[in-house]
Amino acid sequence: MSVGTSVTRRDAQSKVTGQALYVDDYRLPNMWYGATVRSTVPHARIKNIHYSPNFDWSQVVICDYRDIPGRNLVALIYDDQPLLAESIVRHVGEPIVLVAAPSKELARKATRYVTIEYEELPAVLTIEESLARKQKLFGEDNIFKSYTITRGNVDEALASADIVVEGTYRVGHQEQLYIEPNGMIATVQADGTLLVQGSLQCPYYVHRALKELFELEDDKVVVIQNTTGGGFGGKEEFPSVVAGHAALLARKAGRPVKLVYDRSEDFIASTKRHPAIIRHRTGLTRDGRLIAAEIDLTFDGGAYCTLSPVVLSRGVIHALGPYNCPNVRISGRVVATNTPPNGAFRGFGVPQAAFAAEMQMERIAQVAGFSPVELRRKNMLREGDTTVTGQILNYSVGTAQVLDAAIEHSDYLNKLQIYRNQTGSKRRGIGLSLYYHGSGFTGSGEEKIKGRAAVEFDKEARIRILTGSTEIGQGTRTIFPQIVAEELGIDLAQIDFEESNTAKVPDSGPTVASRTCMVVGSVVQKAAAALKAELIRRIALSCSLPEEGVSYKRGIFYHQDQPLMTLTEAAARFCQHSPIRTEARYSSPPGIKWDDASYTGDAYPVYAYAADVVEVEVDMDTYEVKLISVLTVSDVGKAINPRLAEGQIEGGTVQALGYGLYEEVFWKDGHMLNTRLTNYIIPTALDIPDLETILIENPYPYGPFGAKGIGELPMDGGAPAAVAAIANATGAFITQLPATPERILEALCQSKHLSDSL
Amino acid sequence: MKVYSPTSLQEAYEILASTEAKILAGGTDLMVLWNSNVAKLPQVVVDIWRMKMLAQIDDEGEVLRIGARCTYTQIINNPLTKNFAPALVDAARTIGAVQIQNRGTIGGNVVNASPAGDSLPVLVAFDAKVEIGSLRGVRTVALEQFYTGYRKTVLAADEMVTAILLPKQREDEVSKFYKIGTRAAQAISKVVMAARAVLQGGLIAAVGIGVGSVAPTVIRAKATEGVMLGRQIDDELVTAARRTMMNEVKPITDVRSTEFYRRTVSGNLVAKFLREIV
Ligand SMILES: Cc1cc2nc3c(=O)[nH]c(=O)nc-3n(C[C@H](O)[C@H](O)[C@H](O)COP(=O)(O)OP(=O)(O)OC[C@H]3O[C@@H](n4cnc5c(N)ncnc54)[C@H](O)[C@@H]3O)c2cc1C
């Protein structure tokens, strides 16, 4: 059978042989190349734009905001971000002027002959400065959005708690670092249709943005996704900017224009993970039961709102971690600063929140002398329990399974004991994290989108899947056919996948929020089931049989138990003139309720759960951390394709360990300093040990064959587990990511550990 | 751009004497600079990749003569360097990764003059000399005198480095190489140290320590060596050597590390060296 088997990725061969075409591989006839002039200051009024007479401007095309026919904005949540700056720039790297030229070199050269004259304004560069309203950037208080979740009475509970533990945790930016930088090609066709192709996750986001910018009807904008070298959320909203720029240039130049960033420009221009400051005050009973949790989160949104409110909302909902607590107050806000806008990034607010939540659990265990495992076991959510938003978890709660398996497979308890109080120059440590991630959109999100997908059945009995969900490396184009093959009981080879082209596929909602497999996969399954029903209807009609008497199993239609015809025969019979197309829409599982006003209810239809155990060795001469072993146990509901599921988890875990131990953006006066792979440090294969990945299948009754969303889950737990391991090894309790050797040294000095030995 | 690919020294010297030219060896530093617009593209390039006479490693008695265009891969695999310059082999193994080791040269590392060049602490610790050639003749300069400041060398425009003269490690000598990078591979050093010592009758009879990434140029840790020379290795010496090293280095805080970290780790590495050779 198809679901549950590790069939080879459909794009494996074309990718490993280099045949897959990425946007930069395309060279259209008469195509020109674009380049971008960006702000070099964090906050300023543009006084003048000077085009040097030492350059022959007749060879190139120049665009600024005045060339935009529609509204000058990147359409998203708030209409605050211009496609091109007008009179004010609000962050370094903000695009101001575009140039297209017959060659990339000439386009880039031209940008060097454009000088922007600024009148600098005071810049707000940190969360603290923004909260202090050093300068008003957004509204009255610089707050893009805030949320509060309340449950019970936290003040009373804190006052009566036997133990109260406080902690403050900080995380910085994280760069997306998809392998392929952002890029687009725009073409205006003879009939005025604007065609944009490129590297992106959400064709319909780009579609909508272009419609607004160019005041075009739906069918006059076509967006095609080319093979995309990773996205992680970085190609969720940001590609609208690149597409808008390429389209502006293409319209003015009257020819196709390609705009592809190099790595440094991508670092400077594109969205990153939100930095955050998170404070916890936790009250417990003497025996270690959580009775009060006061959590305060502030995210740095950067200069424009982008998707920050949604990122914040997910962070706030996940802020406590997968634990029970009757009295909770979680307040979160996302503030404006004069730094490049932060945006969607795998985990979407949870990696920040989970780092703080799990380090807080570690701190509680340490301060109050609890076993980290017992503390978690005592408090973790189980079936029937209620979350901070008042959601009762009725099914598929894998906390106990993942925790038990992780503890057992890693020998955690034993090692935790052994590794305490070491004295050598190399010290081992072991760390644990328990975490969860809501699958699909938050709250009423899925209901608002009602994602669509379709299948088409043609006269050759081939089935074509039509969906706006894209392949960004995570395996969409492999698992959807598996789902359809399973639903119809047919061979995978019979199933095709339509290209991601807004003129051809329905809007399934964006490829984000761990929703592709679980949410859109279920819609695809429904569309396939609808095809079955439609064929049964037609067969019944043409054979003059009652519909109820006709059934289908594995490629054959039956009347009672007698075979009527095969799928192939049905195709020949009903699809001679045109294929049969059946479409389905998402609908929430029964009983799901969410109230946006009070922020209560079923925040997600289901959660995926996981536990990580990381073992490290810290070199006490250099404070370098070597990862010895990494174990991830994940409750995925059902692995449609186990190898791909493991791949998602391994990749996400490495990204999480990068976040925890290596990745840091350095800033000076609003400029990112380390815009190259030589100084923005991500781990290499040599830094990562063999990863052990255990999948636990705790089916979600409304997912395709039980599947839950797992794309983001592995991003949440690696950092706290690694940092807990460092604490176990050295006694250094790091509260700020990444836990670099420099921070370990500082923490050791603070704990006076080191000064004795110096 | 004009590119010359000379095959003889005379030819190369003549080009260098007649025009302002940039020497290209493996290109692993230059291509990065050019690509990122940090350095302007030169008008004339002298590609020395095909100069076989610069790609040899010879035994010259007391010293190894390592051609400037020798790659790290050559250094890693050559029996002479394996036998007589194990610290240099260790350093070569840490540079970039295999692709860079196949292409990057020791001459390029020396002339590029980065304080983080990983071969440089070894060369300084072992009193290596740089052999420099031009139409005007051949001269040798001690590596310690080769650098005049941050990314500045004594090399004149018409000169090129032809070889590194590296004294062999003595039989009674021990050496260690420590690279502290930002990760396990493809990493630029935050602190890099090479140290050698001869122990006689429990006393340190000879010592050389080179440290990189802790000052504008690679440095020879003379004060620390002074503290160690003639002493026996005990806790007191370890503490004294660590303290001296921490004062001797002049690091800065940048995107790779902090001043405090570099200073502390430099001290720790000397202590580690002493622990390891005792
Ligand atoms: C991905 C990557 C990783 C790296 N990792 C490391 C690392 O871990 N450690 C490290 O130390 N370095 C590292 N480097 C830097 C680089 O590889 C080394 O410095 C290398 O030794 C340079 O040698 P090359 O032959 O490639 O020099 P080139 O780039 O050809 O030249 C460098 C400079 O030296 C000059 N030059 C070269 N040969 C001569 C000569 N014979 N006479 C006069 N001038 C000359 C050139 O004109 C130029 O100014 C890395 C580089 C990259 C791209």
Side-chain angles (χ1 to χ4, degrees):
Chain A
M1 276 293 83
S2 187
V3 160
T5 60
S6 294
V7 301
T8 304
R9 300 180 62 100
R10 287 210 162 183
D11 51 0
Q13 193 169 344
S14 70
K15 280 180 176 165
V16 294
T17 57
Q19 283 167 337
L21 294 182
Y22 297 81
V23 62
D24 205 24
D25 296 323
Y26 289 88
R27 220 155 275 179
L28 307 187
N30 301 317
M31 186 173 79
W32 277 19
Y33 298 82
T36 310
V37 178
R38 301 178 180 282
S39 168
T40 51
V41 294
H43 196 198
R45 202 177 306 283
I46 297 176
K47 281 170 66 184
N48 194 8
I49 301 180
H50 186 68
Y51 295 89
S52 164
N54 299 327
F55 186 82
D56 176 7
W57 295 100
S58 70
Q59 345 161 56
V60 302
V61 159
I62 306 167
C63 290
D64 63 24
Y65 72 93
R66 290 167 302 184
D67 293 295
I68 300 167
R71 293 203 292 160
N72 177 20
L73 59 90
V74 187
L76 214 55
I77 294 179
Y78 297 164
D79 290 343
D80 63 333
Q81 182 175 13
L83 184 72
L84 289 170
E86 296 187 8
S87 57
I88 304 267
V89 287
R90 292 183 175 82
H91 65 89
V92 171
E94 180 158 9
I96 303 169
V97 169
L98 305 167
V99 181
S103 76
K104 201 165 170 171
E105 291 69 33
L106 188 61
R108 292 198 175 166
K109 186 172 174 192
T111 63
R112 293 197 283 274
Y113 289 84
V114 182
T115 316
I116 317 278
E117 223 182 294
Y118 300 104
E119 177 193 328
E120 289 208 43
L121 301 168
V124 174
L125 298 174
T126 62
I127 287 177
E128 288 87 346
E129 287 176 358
S130 181
L131 286 174
R133 301 180 200 176
K134 177 182 169 192
Q135 172 87 357
K136 231 189 261 176
L137 300 182
F138 185 89
E140 287 304 310
D141 53 7
N142 288 341
I143 293 177
F144 283 127
K145 183 81 190 177
S146 57
Y147 290 106
T148 307
I149 293 176
T150 34
R151 196 170 174 230
N153 187 329
V154 84
D155 299 312
E156 271 176 24
L158 275 172
S160 69
D162 298 325
I163 304 163
V164 174
V165 179
E166 296 189 30
T168 299
Y169 307 93
R170 284 164 186 272
V171 295
H173 290 86
Q174 185 182 23
E175 171 61 31
Q176 312 262 355
L177 228 65
Y178 26 69
I179 294 178
E180 181 204 22
N182 272 287
M184 292 284 174
I185 299 173
T187 310
V188 182
Q189 294 181 319
D191 69 350
T193 303
L194 175 58
L195 178 75
V196 169
Q197 65 175 85
S199 186
L200 55 95
Q201 282 176 240
C202 310
Y204 278 96
Y205 275 13
V206 178
H207 190 258
R208 181 183 154 212
L210 292 173
K211 270 175 20 189
E212 300 244 357
L213 285 166
F214 298 100
E215 294 185 319
L216 292 168
E217 295 301 313
D218 266 356
D219 62 340
K220 286 288 184 246
V221 177
V222 175
V223 178
I224 299 175
Q225 183 214 21
N226 292 138
T227 307
T228 293
F232 305 125
K235 292 173 187 167
E236 176 173 351
E237 75 276 22
F238 186 74
S240 296
V241 174
V242 191
H245 289 170
L248 261 188
L249 288 169
R251 279 168 48 104
K252 195 155 181 184
R255 49 175 80 241
V257 171
K258 181 198 276 187
L259 184 58
V260 175
Y261 294 167
D262 65 16
R263 181 62 66 188
S264 285
E265 186 169 21
D266 202 291
F267 267 120
I268 290 166
S270 69
T271 49
K272 304 185 204 321
R273 187 181 306 292
H274 293 71
I277 303 174
I278 302 174
R279 296 198 168 84
H280 277 254
R281 250 178 106 204
T282 317
L284 299 98
T285 57
R286 199 160 292 115
D287 64 347
R289 206 165 292 279
L290 293 180
I291 55 162
E294 187 181 32
I295 309 172
D296 184 276
L297 310 89
T298 308
F299 281 35
D300 178 354
Y304 297 107
C305 176
T306 71
L307 293 166
S308 291
V310 203
V311 173
L312 174 70
S313 126
R314 194 178 273 269
V316 162
I317 292 170
H318 288 77
L320 178 65
Y323 302 107
N324 281 297
C325 186
N327 303 292
V328 174
R329 183 166 58 233
I330 305 172
S331 340
R333 65 206 64 77
V334 55
V335 299
T337 58
N338 292 116
T339 59
N342 299 306
F345 190 173
R346 190 179 202 173
F348 215 73
V350 185
Q352 297 93 321
F355 171 66
E358 283 302 275
M359 291 316 292
Q360 179 72 0
M361 288 308 262
E362 288 292 311
R363 173 163 272 174
I364 292 167
Q366 197 186 57
V367 171
F370 299 130
S371 145
V373 177
E374 279 320 304
L375 179 65
R376 287 176 172 92
R377 242 185 220 136
K378 192 164 270 176
N379 292 289
M380 69 196 179
L381 293 166
R382 296 170 194 261
E383 219 161 276
D385 285 344
T386 307
T387 70
V388 290
T389 60
Q391 174 171 10
I392 299 169
L393 300 172
N394 287 320
Y395 40 70
S396 190
V397 183
T399 41
Q401 281 155 291
V402 298
L403 184 63
D404 291 348
I407 298 307
E408 187 183 322
H409 282 269
S410 61
D411 197 17
Y412 172 84
L413 287 169
N414 189 28
K415 286 181 172 170
L416 187 73
Q417 245 4 79
I418 294 173
Y419 292 158
R420 277 186 184 140
N421 310 316
Q422 293 164 87
T423 51
S425 67
K426 299 230 163 118
R427 297 183 196 165
R428 291 264 172 124
I430 195 160
L432 167 71
S433 65
L434 178 69
Y435 53 101
Y436 68 156
H437 199 101
S439 307
F441 271 122
T442 303
S444 46
E446 294 296 348
E447 272 305 309
K448 283 183 190 143
I449 292 183
K450 283 205 177 299
R452 294 183 295 142
V455 295
E456 253 176 32
F457 181 60
D458 72 7
K459 61 181 184 216
E460 257 88 56
R462 296 198 65 78
I463 300 209
R464 179 172 291 267
I465 300 172
L466 297 98
T467 168
S469 291
T470 53
E471 173 69 59
I472 51 172
Q474 85 285 42
T476 308
R477 286 180 167 259
T478 305
I479 59 165
F480 281 6
Q482 286 183 267
I483 289 170
V484 171
E486 185 77 29
E487 178 64 26
L488 297 179
I490 57 171
D491 200 72
L492 268 176
Q494 251 174 290
I495 302 171
D496 299 320
F497 207 121
E498 184 57 88
E499 75 168 345
S500 294
N501 174 333
T502 54
K504 295 182 178 169
V505 298
D507 187 353
S508 310
T511 303
V512 304
S514 308
R515 65 186 291 279
T516 298
C517 176
M518 183 181 101
V519 173
V520 185
S522 76
V523 181
V524 167
Q525 186 184 5
K526 259 211 274 190
L531 173 67
K532 245 186 323 195
E534 173 62 15
L535 286 169
I536 286 174
R537 194 186 65 78
R538 293 201 189 192
I539 290 169
L541 200 67
S542 76
C543 301
S544 307
L545 293 166
E547 257 179 64
E548 311 79 58
V550 181
S551 63
Y552 170 88
K553 207 173 170 197
R554 297 202 182 153
I556 300 172
F557 292 91
Y558 297 86
H559 177 236
Q560 261 96 42
D561 286 334
Q562 292 307 304
L564 269 179
M565 67 176 79
T566 63
L567 203 55
T568 317
E569 287 160 353
R573 179 103 148 240
F574 300 114
C575 306
Q576 268 321 320
H577 303 295
S578 64
I580 297 176
R581 176 188 165 118
T582 51
E583 195 173 292
R585 286 201 94 130
Y586 182 75
S587 58
S588 290
I592 291 279
K593 283 204 183 68
W594 174 256
D595 180 34
D596 267 322
S598 63
Y599 238 60
T600 54
D602 302 311
Y604 302 94
V606 74
Y607 299 77
Y609 300 83
D612 287 359
V613 176
V614 173
E615 198 174 340
V616 301
E617 183 176 87
V618 184
D619 184 323
M620 297 307 286
D621 290 314
T622 65
Y623 319 103
E624 289 170 299
V625 175
K626 186 175 166 197
L627 291 163
I628 302 297
S629 69
V630 177
L631 167 69
T632 304
V633 185
S634 308
D635 165 18
V636 303
K638 169 77 188 172
I640 303 291
N641 182 318
R643 194 194 296 138
L644 284 181
E646 282 165 19
Q648 281 299 292
I649 291 166
E650 292 188 358
T653 300
V654 173
Q655 210 162 21
L657 293 167
Y659 187 48
L661 300 177
Y662 297 95
E663 299 185 38
E664 183 160 21
V665 175
F666 293 92
W667 299 94
K668 186 165 189 275
D669 305 331
H671 289 258
M672 178 174 176
L673 295 179
N674 49 334
T675 60
R676 288 159 51 181
L677 288 170
T678 182
N679 46 25
Y680 182 82
I681 306 299
I682 57 166
T684 68
L686 281 189
D687 298 285
I688 302 292
D690 283 345
L691 305 170
E692 199 184 341
T693 304
I694 297 175
L695 302 181
I696 284 178
E697 298 188 329
N698 205 333
Y700 163 49
Y702 306 100
F705 306 97
K708 304 196 269 193
I710 55 150
E712 295 169 282
L713 177 71
M715 187 67 231
D716 303 337
V723 176
I726 293 169
N728 180 223
T730 65
F733 193 86
I734 310 275
T735 54
Q736 182 173 4
L737 292 185
T740 54
E742 286 75 7
R743 290 215 170 91
I744 295 171
L745 170 61
E746 273 170 38
L748 285 171
C749 285
Q750 268 157 23
S751 64
K752 292 221 173 68
H753 203 84
L754 191 80
S755 42
D756 308 340
S757 72
L758 282 184
Chain B
M1 182 195 287
K2 214 170 190 160
V3 180
Y4 294 96
S5 290
T7 49
S8 76
L9 284 172
Q10 182 67 20
E11 211 184 320
Y13 292 159
E14 277 169 11
I15 303 163
L16 289 171
S18 61
T19 65
E20 200 184 306
K22 191 79 194 156
I23 295 173
L24 176 81
T28 59
D29 276 314
L30 280 179
M31 298 302 283
V32 174
L33 295 177
W34 291 340
N35 194 40
S36 59
N37 281 319
V38 173
K40 269 185 128 180
L41 281 179
Q43 299 292 321
V44 183
V45 167
V46 182
D47 171 16
I48 61 166
W49 193 251
R50 288 177 214 179
M51 297 181 69
K52 291 277 155 1
M53 72 294 287
L54 296 182
Q56 279 162 227
I57 300 176
D58 298 308
D59 188 338
E60 301 204 328
E62 294 284 287
V63 301
L64 292 183
R65 188 173 184 284
I66 305 174
R69 143 50 190 108
C70 284
T71 63
Y72 298 110
T73 302
Q74 277 176 277
I75 290 168
I76 290 166
N77 294 324
N78 189 287
L80 289 173
T81 34
K82 275 199 222 171
N83 281 332
F84 300 115
L88 185 64
V89 172
D90 287 346
R93 283 185 198 284
T94 71
I95 291 182
V98 173
Q99 298 93 323
I100 295 295
Q101 290 163 13
N102 283 340
R103 195 68 203 175
T105 65
I106 191 164
N109 206 225
V110 168
V111 179
N112 188 54
S114 160
D118 284 321
S119 73
L120 310 182
V122 182
L123 304 184
V124 175
F126 278 88
D127 301 310
K129 290 194 172 69
V130 185
E131 184 189 271
I132 299 169
S134 71
L135 275 187
R136 296 178 282 143
V138 174
R139 60 176 179 137
T140 58
V141 176
L143 198 97
E144 255 181 278
Q145 262 93 57
F146 187 72
Y147 300 111
T148 55
Y150 178 67
R151 289 191 168 259
K152 288 207 184 83
T153 73
V154 299
L155 213 60
D158 64 337
E159 289 180 318
M160 69 187 245
V161 171
T162 47
I164 306 300
L165 307 173
L166 178 65
K168 291 178 179 171
Q169 181 168 320
R170 288 164 45 172
E171 249 168 53
D172 57 353
E173 199 166 34
V174 287
S175 68
K176 296 281 174 192
F177 173 80
Y178 308 116
K179 168 169 172 172
I180 316 307
T182 47
R183 61 185 157 208
Q186 299 290 25
I188 302 185
S189 288
K190 302 195 283 196
V191 180
V192 51
M193 183 181 292
R196 66 178 167 90
V198 177
L199 285 175
Q200 271 167 10
L203 303 182
I204 298 175
V207 57
I209 304 174
V211 199
S213 243
V214 292
T217 68
V218 63
I219 60 164
R220 177 83 185 243
K222 291 220 180 81
T224 309
E225 291 174 13
V227 166
M228 291 160 72
L229 206 59
R231 292 276 302 273
Q232 115 186 16
I233 302 175
D234 53 20
D235 286 353
E236 200 187 321
L237 178 65
V238 170
T239 304
R242 183 206 298 271
R243 288 235 167 90
T244 312
M245 178 60 84
M246 285 177 71
N247 287 324
E248 191 164 16
V249 294
K250 300 277 174 283
I252 56 165
T253 293
D254 61 12
V255 296
R256 290 202 300 280
S257 190
T258 62
E259 192 218 310
F260 178 61
Y261 176 86
R262 287 176 156 129
R263 206 179 275 288
T264 309
V265 170
S266 300
N268 290 356
L269 289 178
V270 167
K272 178 177 166 136
F273 174 66
L274 290 171
R275 269 198 332 258
E276 288 185 346
I277 63 168
V278 66

